[in-house]
Every structure is written in C-alpha cells, then in structure tokens.
C-alpha cells in the first residue's frame, strides 16, 4: 500500500532545528524530468531519545512498545538517503520508483461525483452529518455486488474505511496485545509495525533483523513466494497479502486453499490484504472468499487507492464475515464494529460518493484504464530488467517489480542506483530479512518518467 | 462531540436476523415535522456473546479489554429505546435533540472549495496522491494562525486528522495500556471507552457505575462543574473537555490555571478537548495554551465538525507542543507522529481543502453564522426550560443544555419525554454516574424542529 507515508511533508522538522535530527531538506531543488515531479519533504517518523536536560518532563512513562520500533526503519531511512543525495546533487533530476503512490489524475466521472456531493452539502436536501461508521448503505451494497457476488458476502459484512492501512491498525486494536501473529517475509511494513505498537511482539533482534514473537513466513523464488506451511508455527493471526507487496507474487487457488486449510486446522484468523487484486492478470483468486470455508477463518482488507488514485482521497473497506468467530463463539465483526464506532466516525461522505462512482459501469471502466496504464508501466520495467539479464519477479499481477541482485545487499544496490541514476527504488530488506538481495521497483509514475528511468537503468547495467 | 455515532445505519442488523438482537427497525415510518427528519437506522455496537453451538470457532481468544465494555451503554440503549418507541407509535413525529449531529447546510464558500479540489484531482497539475499524514502545510499554518496566534504554537505542533474522536483513540494508542487516566464525570464517552479498549482500566463496577482504575472527577452544580482537585488522585492522563460535553460548562481562566498547575505538580498530561471552543460567549480561554506553562503538560484536540457542519466530511486537528515530554525526555509529539504515520494516512485531501476554506475570512464569517444559528437554538431551549422552572446549566458557551431533574433517574426522565412528546434527548447518566438526574438537550436541529420541541416541552411540564 502506501510507501509515500513516511516520506511526506515534514512534521517537526521545519521550525525547530534542535528538535530534529539534521535531515531537513529544501525540496525546491528537485527538478523535473518531463512532467513536474512532486516536491518531497522529509519526515522522521522515529527518532532517538534526546534528553532535554533542563526541560520540564512529565512523569508519564513512554509506551515501551512504541519504543521497540526501529529508528532505522525503511521509509525514514529511504527519505534520509534521498535527502542526502539531493544535497550532494542539487540539480539531479530525481525519479521516484520507490514509492507506491499513484500519479495519474482521477477519472472525471469519479471526481465529478465528489464535486456534486460537495455542492449538495450546501443544500437542505443534500446535507448529511454523521454517517454510519460502517459506511453508506449504497456503497456497501455496491462493494458486495462488484467484488463479492456469489461469494456469500453480504452488504453488512463490509465496513467502509478511510483506507486499508487504517483498518489494519483498527484490526490490531480488536485483537489486542495477547495474540500471536505471522507475516509473509518480506511484507508490507504496517503489519509488523502495528503488531509491535500493540505489544504483541518482543524486542527487535538485530542479529536476525526480526522482532521476537512474530512468525516470519519466508517467501522466496525457491518456494514460488508461497511459504512452506509445514514449517510455519501456529499463530492466532496470519497477515497475507496477494498480489503481494513487495514481491508482486499472486497466490494461486491451490495455494490459497492450502492456506485456508492451514488456518482452519490451527484455528487461526487470516487477514488477507487484497489491495492490488484488480491488477491480477493470471487466473488466481481476487478474493480470499473465493476459497470454500474462508468465511470462517478470514478477514479481507481492500482499498480504492491503487485502483482510482485515491491515495489522497482516502477510501477502503474491510470484509468480516459474520461466520468468523472468536474461540468463545463471539463474532469478530461485532468487536470490529465496536472499535469502528468508538475509534472512528466513518470515511468522508465526499470520498464515499467517489467510491460509489468508481463502482458504476463508467467508473469501473475508467478504473480499468488507470490500472491498465500502470500495468503498461510495469511491463516496460520488467522488459528493461529482463533485457539486462536480471531475474525479475512480480510485475504480472501487481504494480511492483521485484528484481534480484543475488549475493548483494539491498541497501548497496539502492545506493548504487540512486548514486548513478538518480532513481529512488526501495531496498527489499526494508520489507523484512527475506527481502535481502532484492530491489522493489514501483510502476506508479508518469510514462515519461518510467521511460527515462528505464533508459538510465540500461545505461547503468548494460 | 458525536452522539450520532452509535445511532447510525445498521451494520449487522439488516440481513441476518439470528445474528442480531431483535432491534431491527424500519425507519421509513419516521415522519417529518416541518423539515424532513433524517432517517435513523439502528445499530448495536455491543452485543452479548452468543454461543453458536455448531458453528466453527477459531482458537483466537476474544480481547478481554473489549469484552469489558458495557452492553447497555448509552448510545445503543438510546437507539433501542427510540426504536421501540417508533414501533409503538409508527406515526410519531419524532424530533431528535439527543444527538450532537449538525443539521444545517455547509456554507457555499466551503463546499465550493471542496468541489474545486475534487475537480482538480482530474488534472495533471491538480492531482495529489498520499499527502503528509500530519496534514497539508497550508492548513496547519492556517490553523496555527487562526486559533493559536501568539500562543507559541507552531505549524508543526499541529496534526490534522479525520476528527477529534479518531485522534482520541490514536492518543490512547500512544499512551498504551500502562497509564492511568482521569475524566470529568460526566464526560463524552469516547475517553472512557478508548481507555477500556486499551486495557488501562479494570472491570466495570455495577454498584458505582464506574470502571476500575479510572479517576472520575465529579463535576456538579455544587462545584460549578469544575472538579475539586484537592480530592482528585494523581493520574498520568487527564481528559478535560471545555466547553463541556455534556454539561455545557466552560472553565474559567483561573480554573484552567489551577488545572495546569495540578498537572504540572503531578507530572500528568492533560488531553484538552476544545471541540466547542467557538461556541464560547464568556471571556474564558478558547485554548488550553492560553494558560502559561500549558505547553509542557497539555495536548489539545479540536474539530471542524460543530463549526462548519463537518460531522460527515471528517476533519479535525490535535496540537502536541514539542515541549511536552515523557518522563525520559522523549517528546510525546514524536510518538504521536509515529502512530499517525503507521496507523493513519492523513485526512482526505478534499476535506482539507474544505478546512482551508473554513479559515479564510469569508469562511470564518460563514462558520460564525452557522454557530450563531445553533446558539440561537440553544437560547430558545434554555428559555423554555427556565420558563418551566427547571434549573438549567450550560447553553451559554456550548450547544448543549443540561437540565436538572433533582431526585429523578435520567432514564426515567428520558422515557417520560420520549413517551409523551416524541422527543429524543440524552439521559445524563449515560455520560457517567455524575450525570444522574440530568438530561442533555442538544441545540443541533432545524429551527422549526427546535421550536416544535419547545412547544411540546411546555405542554408536558407546564
């Protein structure tokens, strides 16, 4: 999902130089290739404690779980290195293929619906206040019929949200601190981070680059990026993303059938992240609920972000079938509903109007065009690396290309590419130790930038 | 803040009758007074465990903290009683003055800005993807200069959010499960609920109607709705709302100075909820940061909901001064920033465009008009109850009127009013044991409905 998250506009950095590590950077020096590149400011989401000797301190202890989070974590580190690069090369025409942020305009059929809803809020008939925290009925119904027709998912199993990332954290609040969890290794960092924050894990173990008490399910080319379940310990929760971020791998029907059986045998709950399902080219399931029995063991999170360019508009959804029960028989959906009611007030009504427009026949067609554009980008990137003799994974079912640099450090490759081509990628090891030796190249970008990046890759590696 | 939260569209209720307690209700029978009343569906945010004997159950234990939440909590209970009332009187012209939900259209200067931003997202120049999780720079700057000028609050101390309720929960995630907390009694239920969810409390004690390990600071007419701090035990966190929901009381400068001193002496952190600050008529502080030294002990949450009718648009903000430090010297703002980066992706860019328009000179004027309208409603309600000989509190600095029915049960009064006038209010005891004997009457409503409600109150109590 979001890789731009931690790269975005500075928080504490701008006005207090003593308060921040010296990473402030004036992004105005970033220059355009052919289409203006977004200005990037740097934020430091984690900082090391700084004793402020003479300052007043409260007597409130810092949350020990949050203190476990690693300072040198992926995105702040990428941001720091990018910033350092731009200080060194102030005129560099930097291209970002590191960030999973959409770049193409939202189709007019969708933005017009949002504009219409905005204007309606100025009328007596069109005004609406608090909506249902679970989302507007029409949108829930449209989601059910568009994505889950004939899968036994009902409108009221669907919770509309302000994005999958937000729902992942709300799910963690539902689960609490006493559950155990498994993640694909490599995986989207929000699963592990939110688990650490909730106190489900031990400390970070530097030698293995893992947190204690998390089961890392290794996904490599050798196992087709699907974990060897016979070697996976039982956990309460299993986070599973397909098509996968970062590897781009999509699990087959047979693999997902095994995963569901594994969960069922263990009494585990799968949190299935399907944020890239519409990028699927192969005939793999687009929803975990295509697998018989999944409703008793799985939750699915999804998002409009990468389909409609809604990364800034904020709209997603989570499916929790009423058949999914805790060990005492209590429905998981009811506790999620309680959290949604207490900790959230629903997605913006304007964004929901946009979501409904996305699911109209015109909207679906328009989304497919946007997705097709990014898939074309992906193809260009895959062909470039293939032509250079690299082993390339992903790219077919997801907007990410996972390039293998055997025996090399991800960070070294990241630095080499940045230094010599001014292209920002994402080092695979940032997604977990299983990503070491890989680079993730994102296909989100204007065509001119993607083509220029590929020219530079060819210059570097030819 | 939001009282509509838990009253809104049904979640699990609509399609599975066995899954839900029998509270489903077809709201189409609700009829209009003079302006169409919003249709109300019923949701049950808490349910009792139902063993599903033959159903598959996972082996994941239900989160014991969430299980502590009371089934008979305020809003589901109000919703149930309203539903029962409408079943009994299908043609009743129900007026809701229970819900703190805005009813008046949003000024055009604000919705036009949101529509413009929506359309711009369809252009190459106007498109934006992931924004800063902390909010757009221009909005943070406008918030700082509008609400905190000369108070030493800087742009980067301000975090834009999708609403104060959401930020309260994110703050609780920052604090974690090992802190102690105090609340005003009565108080907005989200403080206590989010504390229970995070595991900061003991079980609910039915005899005193309090959760263990929470310090309830009694606020009554006798103490001018300001707690006797000499009797308040030290806690890590102190939630304090002024102007207050539900009592409508606003703390004076002298009282807030005492509160800040109390926090400083104890090393506590105040979470100051100022969601109704613009409703202030008296010369009381509108921000806790007007009190010298508050930046070292206080956080402030705020919202556009009740100023601009943004309850459905979703936009708020939280101020965490960089001077606020945990006991180890680590800045609270940095951990909040980490949570915002990991568990949130920023408020909708369209809502933020609306927020920026709110803070233009035209927008501020338009908001003042909306607020003035609701204040006029408040005056009508206050005068009505005064004329009937009731002791009435609040109403001057907040859109809530706190009516005393000495010696009577809040729920009995609620039922009496509903039964005899078809008006929904909120029983004071739902906000904590200190609210017993009171009814909260909300001033959010169309003028015709407020006038009609007051006619009915006069018929009932004359």
């Amino acid at each position: 999902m979001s890789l731009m998250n931690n790269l975005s506009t500075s928080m504490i950095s701008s006005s207090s130089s003593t308060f921040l590590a010296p990473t402030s950077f004036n992004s105005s020096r970033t220059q355009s290739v052919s289409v203006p590149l977004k200005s990037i400011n740097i934020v430091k989401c984690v900082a090391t404690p700084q004793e402020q000797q003479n300052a007043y301190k409260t007597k409130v202890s810092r949350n020990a779980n949050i203190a476990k989070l690693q300072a040198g974590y992926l995105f702040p580190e990428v941001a720091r290195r990018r910033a350092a690069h731009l200080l060194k090369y102030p005129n560099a025409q930097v291209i970002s293929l590191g960030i999973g942020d959409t770049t193409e305009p939202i189709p007019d059929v969708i933005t017009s619906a949002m504009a219409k809803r905005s204007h309606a809020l100025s009328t007596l008939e069109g005004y609406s206040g608090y909506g249902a925290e679970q989302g507007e009925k029409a949108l829930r119904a449209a989601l059910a019929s568009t994505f889950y027709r004939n899968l036994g998912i009902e409108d009221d199993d669907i919770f509309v949200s302000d994005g999958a990332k937000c729902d992942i954290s709300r799910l963690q609040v539902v689960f609490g601190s006493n559950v155990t969890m498994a993640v694909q290794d490599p995986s989207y960092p929000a699963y592990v981070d939110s688990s650490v924050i909730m106190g489900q894990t031990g400390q970070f173990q530097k030698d293995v680059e893992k947190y204690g008490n998390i089961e890392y399910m290794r996904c490599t080319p050798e196992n087709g990026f699907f974990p060897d379940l016979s070697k996976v310990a039982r956990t309460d929760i299993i986070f599973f993303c397909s098509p996968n971020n970062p590897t781009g791998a999509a699990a087959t029907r047979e693999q997902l059938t095994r995963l569901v059986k594994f969960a069922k045998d263990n009494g585990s709950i799968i949190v299935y992240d399907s944020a890239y399902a519409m990028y699927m080219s192969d005939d793999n399931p687009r929803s975990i609920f295509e697998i018989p029995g999944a409703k008793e063991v799985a939750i699915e999170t999804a998002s409009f972000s990468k389909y409609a360019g809604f990364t800034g508009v904020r709209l997603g959804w989570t499916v929790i079938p009423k058949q999914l029960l805790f060990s005492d028989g209590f429905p998981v959906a009811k506790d999620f509903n309680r959290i949604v009611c207490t900790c959230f007030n629903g997605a913006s009504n304007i964004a929901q109007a946009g979501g409904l427009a996305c699911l109209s026949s015109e909207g679906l067609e328009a989304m497919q065009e946007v997705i097709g554009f990014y898939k074309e980008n992906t193809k260009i990137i895959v062909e470039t690396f293939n032509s250079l003799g690299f082993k390339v994974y992903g790219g077919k079912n997801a907007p990410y290309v996972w390039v293998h640099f055997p025996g090399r450090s991800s960070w070294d490759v990241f630095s080499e590419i940045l230094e010599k081509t001014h292209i920002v990628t994402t080092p695979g090891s940032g997604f977990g130790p299983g990503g070491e030796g890989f680079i993730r190249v994102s296909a989100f970008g204007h065509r001119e930038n993607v083509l220029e990046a590929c020219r530079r890759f060819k210059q570097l590696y030819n």
Side-chain angles (χ1 to χ4, degrees), chain A:
Chain A
M1 249 145 282
S2 123
L3 288 181
M4 187 60 185
N5 307 340
N6 301 350
L7 297 175
S8 39
T9 306
S10 78
M11 164 235 169
I12 285 164
S13 61
S14 57
S15 64
S16 172
S17 60
T18 56
F19 190 65
L20 220 228
T23 57
S24 307
F25 175 71
N26 182 342
S27 64
S28 63
R29 280 168 284 188
T30 309
Q31 291 196 1
S32 161
V33 173
S34 55
V35 177
L37 291 163
K38 297 265 187 284
S39 69
I40 303 281
N41 296 312
I42 305 307
V43 68
K44 218 166 157 265
C45 275
V46 182
T48 49
Q50 322 164 268
E51 284 288 333
Q52 306 205 8
Q53 291 301 340
N54 302 315
Y56 172 87
K57 300 179 193 73
T58 67
K59 289 178 184 152
V60 180
S61 299
R62 187 180 176 210
N63 183 338
N65 293 319
I66 296 179
K68 290 176 192 165
L69 291 167
Q70 291 306 293
Y73 206 53
L74 182 59
F75 304 121
E77 187 60 28
V78 169
R80 270 195 291 277
R81 294 196 186 209
R82 183 193 169 115
H85 182 76
L86 279 157
L87 283 174
K88 191 172 165 189
Y89 301 105
N91 297 314
Q93 294 184 322
V94 169
I95 298 174
S96 180
L97 300 180
I99 293 155
D101 191 12
T102 46
T103 56
E104 302 309 297
I106 300 173
D108 188 62
V109 59
I110 300 164
T111 56
S112 292
M114 294 194 287
K116 195 177 163 194
R117 181 70 174 264
S118 299
H119 282 306
L121 292 172
S122 280
T123 67
L124 204 54
E125 309 73 39
Y127 180 74
S128 63
Y130 289 120
E133 292 88 344
Q134 305 85 6
E136 295 177 4
K137 262 178 179 297
L139 180 55
R140 298 169 87 188
L143 286 165
S145 69
T146 304
F147 295 108
Y148 307 101
R149 191 187 294 272
N150 301 324
L151 298 182
I153 297 298
E154 297 173 301
D155 303 3
D156 60 359
D157 295 326
I158 298 176
F159 296 80
V160 176
S161 76
D162 59 335
K165 188 192 196 188
C166 313
D167 267 351
I168 287 164
S169 278
R170 281 188 282 264
L171 285 168
Q172 295 282 23
V173 171
V174 169
F175 299 139
S177 55
N178 290 324
V179 297
T180 53
M181 62 105 82
V183 291
Q184 289 157 295
D185 176 21
S187 70
Y188 173 56
Y191 314 136
V192 167
D193 269 19
S194 58
S195 178
V196 173
I197 289 166
M198 284 306 295
Q200 299 165 2
T201 77
Q203 295 291 340
F204 189 72
Q205 300 159 345
K206 289 221 167 106
D207 52 339
V208 289
E209 297 195 326
K210 295 177 179 180
Y211 288 94
N213 209 32
I214 288 187
E215 179 71 15
Y216 289 77
M217 306 184 292
R218 187 64 76 115
C219 296
T220 61
E222 288 70 39
N223 61 22
F225 297 101
F226 187 81
D228 180 352
L229 295 174
S230 71
K231 292 180 182 160
V232 172
R234 191 243 166 225
T235 59
D236 291 313
I237 312 297
I238 302 168
F239 279 93
F240 197 93
C241 176
S242 177
N244 188 265
N245 173 10
T247 69
T252 65
R253 191 170 306 271
E254 185 274 331
Q255 288 171 332
L256 290 179
T257 302
R258 275 193 278 146
L259 182 69
V260 166
K261 183 179 185 309
F262 177 76
K264 207 154 212 170
D265 291 347
N266 285 327
S268 306
I269 294 174
I270 299 166
V271 178
Y272 189 80
D273 185 341
S274 69
Y276 300 95
M278 283 183 76
Y279 283 83
M280 193 87 74
S281 298
D282 291 335
D283 183 31
N284 298 318
R286 278 156 181 73
S287 165
I288 189 71
F289 301 117
E290 293 183 35
I291 309 300
K295 284 195 286 293
E296 293 172 340
V297 291
I299 290 166
E300 182 163 302
T301 64
S303 169
F304 284 98
S305 288
K306 309 303 167 78
Y307 303 165
F310 267 30
T311 43
V313 171
R314 312 302 313 137
L315 197 69
W317 69 93
T318 288
V319 184
I320 309 189
K322 52 184 77 62
Q323 294 88 337
L324 181 68
L325 307 176
F326 286 118
S327 56
D328 66 354
F330 195 89
V332 176
K334 288 197 178 182
D335 276 349
F336 188 73
N337 188 54
R338 186 59 151 98
I339 294 303
V340 161
C341 288
T342 307
C343 308
F344 183 53
N345 251 330
S348 176
N349 45 18
I350 299 169
Q352 292 191 67
L356 200 56
C358 286
L359 303 181
S360 68
S361 59
E362 274 176 293
L364 285 165
E365 207 173 303
M367 283 202 296
Q368 289 292 1
E369 265 181 51
V370 173
I371 291 165
F373 175 85
Y374 291 129
K375 282 170 74 90
E376 190 65 30
N377 278 354
T378 317
K379 208 175 148 202
I380 292 165
I381 296 166
V382 167
E383 283 170 1
T384 298
F385 280 99
N386 273 335
S387 76
L388 294 168
F390 286 93
K391 274 272 190 190
V392 177
Y393 303 93
K396 195 173 180 194
N397 298 307
Y400 298 120
V401 183
W402 191 238
V403 188
H404 202 181
F405 291 80
R408 295 195 61 190
S409 139
S410 293
W411 278 111
D412 285 353
V413 178
F414 168 90
S415 297
E416 174 179 276
I417 292 173
L418 182 59
E419 177 71 24
K420 296 188 178 164
T421 70
H422 307 308
I423 297 168
V424 179
T425 58
T426 310
S429 58
F431 297 97
E436 186 57 285
F438 289 87
I439 284 288
R440 194 195 78 170
V441 184
S442 156
F444 293 112
H446 296 312
R447 182 62 47 80
E448 302 89 313
N449 291 348
V450 169
L451 290 170
E452 170 63 19
C454 287
R455 272 191 289 275
R456 296 186 197 171
F457 284 133
K458 283 182 181 167
Q459 280 188 323
L460 176 62
Y461 289 119
N462 218 345

